Amino acid sequence: MAAQEQDDRKSTIAEFNEAVNMTPAELEKWLGTDESNGVGQRSGGDGESVGHASGRRIVELLRTRKSDLSDDDVAHMRKVVGYVHRHIEQRPSGDVSDTKWRYSLMNWGHDPLK
């Protein structure tokens, strides 16, 4: 792997670890709630939302040793970082404790109230 690729990989992993502020256990517990299952875009109708599926993958990524991460894993980490950063910018005014905005971010491993 070229030095630039290694740097990009390290940078993505570091950004992912900053963006995802929930532990695997917290995220797993959250993904089991009605609130978690009630938000997000569903690809193809009634199935699982994109964010909920991402949350399950994030749990796996958090439990994977850095040296065992595949290129596909790092690409998903980059997607998570982009999602979290974009949606933080869209924070609604007022108390966000019980909002779809917060619930959606939590599906992606980021609790904005932490």
Side-chain angles (χ1 to χ4, degrees), residues 23-68:
T23 66
E26 288 171 329
L27 184 50
E28 260 181 339
K29 185 176 178 183
W30 165 251
L31 292 171
T33 66
D34 289 341
E35 291 85 355
S36 170
N37 286 295
V39 295
Q41 290 183 328
R42 290 169 177 11
S43 54
D46 293 336
E48 181 179 38
S49 75
V50 174
H52 197 273
S54 178
R56 288 187 301 102
R57 177 122 188 240
I58 291 166
V59 169
E60 292 174 22
L61 293 173
L62 290 170
R63 290 185 171 146
T64 302
R65 291 193 331 238
K66 285 181 191 174
S67 59
D68 292 338

Side-chain angles (χ1 to χ4, degrees), residues 1 10 14 17 19 25-27 36 50 66 80 82-83 96 103 113:
M1 185 181 298
K10 284 181 185 174
N17 289 326
E26 288 171 329
L27 184 50
S36 170
V50 174
K66 285 181 191 174
V80 170
Y83 180 90
V96 297
Y103 297 162
L113 299 184

